[in-house]
Amino acid sequence: MYDFDKVIDRTGTNCVKWDDVYEHGLTDVLPMWVADMDFEVSPYIIEEMQKVLDRKVFGYQYTTDEYEAAIVSWMKRRHHYDIEKDWICYTPNVVSGLCLAIMAVSEPGDEIIIQTPVYGPFYKSIRDNGRVIVENPLKNQNGYYTMDYEDFERKITPKTKAVILCNPHNPCGRVWTEEELKKLADICLKHDLYMISDDIHGDLVYKGHSHTVIAGLSEEIAERCIVCTAPSKTFNLAGMQIAHCIIKNKELRRRFRKPMKQMHLEGGNSFEEAMVIGAYKYSEQWLEELLVYLEGNVDYFVDFVKTRIPKLKVCKPEGTYLMWLDCRELQMDQDQLENFFIKECKLYINDGTFFGEKGRGFMRMNLACPRAFVKEGLERIEKAINKLEK
């Protein structure tokens, strides 16, 4: 049994989640924002990394067949998606993978569709590469989000080249079903669009739900897909800079890799193979226990909000460890809302507009932390809202 209740002091470690907030003078707030975990990583990952440290030399290295086999096996075992090792393209992180994917499937001035509200770097990745954002807002049905296929197809023009899918979705927590993905893919095939799928939270799915890789739906769909994934969210390795984009189409792989080759960025670091093997080959039980703990945090949070903070609205996510809080009944503008959580609740969480205009009136909260933090955060919100209503 792994101890996810253990409190780890991350201050003074150049930690973005904690130190970056404290260095701005907010030393009395509880940081529950950026999407990494406050848990120790699997001991099997540490063990594999220790083997590298023990060599005491960190020269140029290459990965072995065991590295690729671990990824291939993981995708088949956890996601029922059969891939070949040649399809695996290393990237430092998923966002850089998204940028490379955008460059591979489009030219400056072309349009890329995103389903909003959605992870903030989607917008920046499109704009920074000279492409045009087209928003296809999700339908919000009492906190449960669904795709608007009619709006999606209506917004496709001759300049539209791709859609970026977030699966599971950040911030709303939907785990798209096979039926939903098939319907989206059929529209993409009809209009010759590429599908760029951010599956970074694909391992973090709760009971009763199953993650479907859109490229695994058919050979035809796979030929037009770039699937971006990583062990970083699953195993709390975000600071280690390692991700993979899986691309079946050989020509698409060539276009994807071209900028990496031009900038001499193809090689990873000395710990790349150790992390992947430690995670994907030896840490599955750690993940299973983590999922039980995270769902316990989520259930505790949802029950607390519904029974003790009715001014807020929340729908239980199907995946991720992120809560999407509907704060519109507080009747605050976004600046007031952000200030309320920082100054009155003493919490640092994500402003909903980081996810686009459809996030106005919302905040996002990270529950990948000891339950004591979840309890403390909720009690701070409850106290502040009660004070507001007096």
Side-chain angles (χ1 to χ4, degrees):
M1 293 288 292
Y2 299 102
D3 185 8
F4 296 108
D5 283 319
K6 182 179 179 181
V7 174
I8 310 296
D9 183 3
R10 300 179 66 191
T11 59
T13 62
N14 301 333
C15 170
V16 170
K17 187 175 186 178
W18 289 80
D19 291 332
D20 193 51
V21 173
Y22 285 4
E23 286 172 8
H24 284 82
L26 302 174
T27 55
D28 58 348
V29 304
L30 179 61
M32 298 181 75
W33 63 299
V34 66
D36 68 15
M37 303 189 208
D38 290 314
F39 304 132
E40 289 182 346
V41 304
S42 161
Y44 295 102
I45 297 173
I46 300 296
E47 184 178 316
E48 292 298 315
M49 293 175 70
Q50 187 62 51
K51 292 176 185 177
V52 179
L53 280 172
D54 290 343
R55 297 174 194 155
K56 300 179 182 177
V57 176
F58 308 102
Y60 295 114
Q61 289 180 224
Y62 57 86
T63 56
T64 69
D65 290 342
E66 188 179 8
Y67 164 84
E68 293 165 336
I71 299 169
V72 170
S73 176
W74 185 262
M75 295 305 295
K76 181 177 179 62
R77 203 165 66 249
R78 300 294 298 193
H79 305 292
H80 312 291
Y81 180 38
D82 289 304
I83 67 171
E84 298 177 11
K85 65 178 185 178
D86 291 344
W87 303 359
I88 301 168
C89 303
Y90 164 83
T91 60
N93 52 62
V94 162
V95 174
S96 63
L98 294 176
C99 292
L100 289 163
I102 288 166
M103 289 188 282
V105 303
S106 64
E107 298 292 336
D110 285 340
E111 298 169 347
I112 308 291
I113 297 176
I114 55 175
Q115 297 174 306
T116 58
V118 75
Y119 182 50
F122 280 22
Y123 299 88
K124 191 169 173 57
S125 297
I126 297 169
R127 290 196 189 103
D128 287 355
N129 286 287
R131 276 63 169 178
V132 177
I133 295 170
V134 176
E135 293 193 32
N136 166 227
L138 298 171
K139 295 178 180 179
N140 182 355
Q141 301 163 317
N142 297 317
Y144 185 81
Y145 287 79
T146 57
M147 296 188 194
D148 188 337
Y149 301 102
E150 291 182 4
D151 179 75
F152 178 79
E153 189 161 20
R154 187 166 55 245
K155 287 180 173 173
I156 297 170
T157 76
K159 295 290 287 180
T160 310
K161 302 302 178 183
V163 58
I164 304 181
L165 176 71
C166 198
N167 181 32
H169 193 275
N170 174 12
C172 81
R174 276 300 317 280
V175 175
W176 304 116
T177 66
E178 185 174 329
E179 181 182 0
E180 288 173 307
L181 294 173
K182 182 67 166 60
K183 195 168 182 179
L184 181 74
D186 285 345
I187 297 172
C188 291
L189 292 178
K190 177 182 174 182
H191 295 277
D192 295 323
L193 302 187
Y194 288 97
M195 291 152 273
I196 304 167
S197 188
D198 177 357
D199 287 29
I200 196 169
H201 290 100
D203 297 314
L204 301 169
V205 173
Y206 300 127
K207 291 191 301 288
H209 304 282
S210 178
H211 175 249
T212 300
V213 180
I214 192 168
L217 294 176
S218 75
E219 293 289 323
E220 186 181 16
I221 292 168
E223 288 290 336
R224 301 195 68 81
C225 282
I226 296 174
V227 177
C228 307
T229 187
S232 54
K233 297 302 181 201
T234 309
F235 294 102
N236 204 24
L237 298 170
M240 301 305 291
Q241 295 296 291
I242 181 171
H244 310 99
C245 289
I246 300 168
I247 310 170
K248 181 180 187 296
N249 184 305
K250 187 176 180 179
E251 171 58 20
L252 195 53
R253 278 202 309 275
R254 185 196 67 78
R255 298 204 304 263
F256 180 92
R257 285 173 168 155
K258 184 178 179 180
M260 292 281 283
K261 288 182 178 179
Q262 289 172 330
M263 293 183 283
H264 300 270
L265 292 174
E266 286 187 293
N269 62 65
S270 298
F271 295 94
E272 178 183 359
E273 180 162 323
M275 287 184 291
V276 166
I277 291 172
Y280 288 160
K281 192 170 181 180
Y282 299 120
S283 298
E284 200 156 3
Q285 181 59 36
W286 182 92
L287 174 59
E288 292 297 341
E289 293 184 27
L290 170 74
L291 289 171
V292 171
Y293 190 87
L294 287 176
E295 189 161 15
N297 277 357
V298 167
D299 288 338
Y300 181 88
F301 188 97
V302 171
D303 181 66
F304 192 108
V305 169
K306 288 184 176 179
T307 58
R308 294 170 58 173
I309 319 177
K311 278 279 186 180
L312 301 182
K313 298 291 181 286
V314 65
C315 184
K316 181 179 176 178
E318 298 167 347
T320 83
Y321 46 68
L322 307 165
M323 301 303 297
W324 188 232
L325 280 175
D326 185 343
C327 308
R328 289 175 292 182
E329 281 192 27
L330 295 179
Q331 297 183 332
M332 299 178 184
D333 64 33
Q334 203 64 27
D335 288 339
Q336 290 172 328
L337 190 59
E338 190 173 10
N339 286 331
F340 172 74
F341 276 95
I342 293 173
K343 295 179 180 178
E344 302 301 327
C345 302
K346 303 299 181 183
L347 284 177
Y348 197 89
I349 60 179
N350 285 103
D351 172 9
T353 56
F354 174 75
F355 306 91
E357 279 302 304
K358 291 297 179 180
R360 192 166 293 280
F362 292 78
M363 300 291 283
R364 192 195 74 173
M365 197 163 171
N366 177 356
L367 301 191
C369 57
R371 195 151 304 151
F373 290 3
V374 178
K375 184 175 184 291
E376 175 66 23
L378 285 165
E379 289 175 352
R380 290 186 185 194
I381 297 172
E382 180 185 36
K383 183 179 178 180
I385 288 181
N386 287 343
K387 181 180 176 182
L388 193 70
E389 293 177 338
K390 287 182 179 178

